[in-house]
Amino acid sequence: MIEKHDLHHEFPEYYDRIHELKTNDSHFARLFDEYHDINREILRIEEGVKNTTDEYLEELKKKRLLHKDKLYGMITNN
C-alpha cells in the first residue's frame, strides 16, 4: 500500500495554519505547490504509471523531505 504524504495528511493538527499560510504567504504557497508536485511525481512512479531509475526516485524523495522540513518550520514558526 502506498503511503499518503500530502501535508494535510502529514500534519492534520495544523490544517487551519496550513490554509492560513497558503492564503497569506506567497513563499509558503510556492513551496506547498512544489512539494505537492514532487509528491505527485513520486506517486506516479510508485504506482507504476511512470518508469524511472531508483536513483531518480530517491532524489525525489530527498527533495520532498527537504520541502516538508521547510514547510513544517514555517507552519510551526521554527
Side-chain angles (χ1 to χ4, degrees), residues 31-61:
L31 285 175
F32 180 91
D33 289 342
E34 288 175 7
Y35 175 86
H36 284 284
D37 289 344
I38 294 165
N39 192 50
R40 276 190 290 276
E41 186 168 0
I42 290 170
L43 286 173
R44 289 176 49 88
I45 293 167
E46 290 178 339
E47 291 172 346
V49 174
K50 180 177 179 180
N51 293 322
T52 188
T53 64
D54 290 340
E55 293 81 14
Y56 179 70
L57 178 58
E58 287 306 310
E59 283 301 313
L60 284 176
K61 287 181 177 182

